[in-house]
Amino acid sequence: MSKGQRDRGASQSTDPADDAEQPSWKALWPFLVALAVVVVAAAGIGISYLIRPAEDRMSEEARVQHAVNDQYTARNDLDYAKYRASTCATTVSSATFPTEAVFLDENRKSSEQNGHIVIPEITDITVDGDRATAKVHWHFDDKPDDEQTTGVVVVREDGDWKVCTS
């Protein structure tokens, strides 16, 4: 081997990584632009969740669930004002709507005998304009094996969903 061939052989690297070309910034631009778009979109979604109240982000079905849950929670908490507020005007004005004393007495006795009302799920929610129906699956704390299913009607009054007897 001649001296020139030896010099060329000595200057050549045997590491294949040295032979590969390093990517240029020009080749990375599409990826950086895509990353920037994703970051901006994620930031926009995050900001909208922070700015927009949770109530505005809820579906109508979720609002119906909250109305039903509010009524059952009012019974558990013996909160007559909350119970009235979660009940439609037609039911509140009916002759069969309980007075505060009756409400407190009935729900206190029920709670002492059976425990609190537990709602594992609300199913079959159907919203049709300002009226909705749902099935409430519930049981008492002290009687978890005695699950009940109750159909409820929920109506929208002044923008809020309220439980109604009919």
Side-chain angles (χ1 to χ4, degrees):
M1 185 178 342
S2 72
K3 183 177 180 215
Q5 288 175 332
R6 259 184 301 188
D7 289 342
R8 269 185 267 147
S11 68
Q12 288 180 346
S13 170
T14 58
D15 186 3
D18 288 344
D19 292 340
E21 291 184 30
Q22 295 295 324
S24 71
W25 282 103
K26 288 180 182 180
L28 292 177
W29 273 110
F31 298 106
L32 294 174
V33 169
L35 178 63
V37 168
V38 169
V39 168
V40 168
I45 291 169
I47 289 170
S48 75
Y49 271 88
L50 292 174
I51 293 174
R52 212 166 105 204
E55 297 83 32
D56 291 349
R57 295 189 308 260
M58 280 196 296
S59 67
E60 290 304 314
E61 289 81 5
R63 291 173 197 257
V64 168
Q65 284 182 318
H66 279 256
V68 171
N69 192 56
D70 286 349
Q71 185 152 82
Y72 280 85
T73 300
R75 290 176 61 188
N76 282 337
D77 295 343
L78 301 175
D79 187 341
Y80 186 70
K82 185 175 181 179
Y83 182 74
R84 280 182 65 95
S86 65
T87 306
C88 73
T90 304
T91 301
V92 170
S93 64
S94 74
T96 59
F97 191 75
T99 64
E100 185 171 9
V102 170
F103 171 83
L104 294 172
D105 184 50
E106 287 177 354
N107 286 289
R108 186 176 292 116
K109 283 180 185 174
S110 175
S111 184
E112 289 169 358
Q113 291 174 355
N114 306 304
H116 281 105
I117 299 169
V118 177
I119 303 175
E121 66 180 338
I122 301 170
T123 61
D124 300 334
I125 299 170
T126 305
V127 177
D128 185 14
D130 287 342
R131 185 177 173 87
T133 57
K135 289 187 180 172
V136 182
H137 303 268
W138 63 275
H139 62 82
F140 291 108
D141 265 342
D142 297 347
K143 299 178 180 179
D145 295 331
D146 188 20
E147 186 170 296
Q148 306 288 320
T149 301
T150 304
V152 294
V153 174
V154 186
V155 296
R156 188 179 359 228
E157 291 179 348
D158 299 324
D160 294 324
W161 287 99
K162 299 184 181 214
V163 177
C164 223
T165 55
S166 59

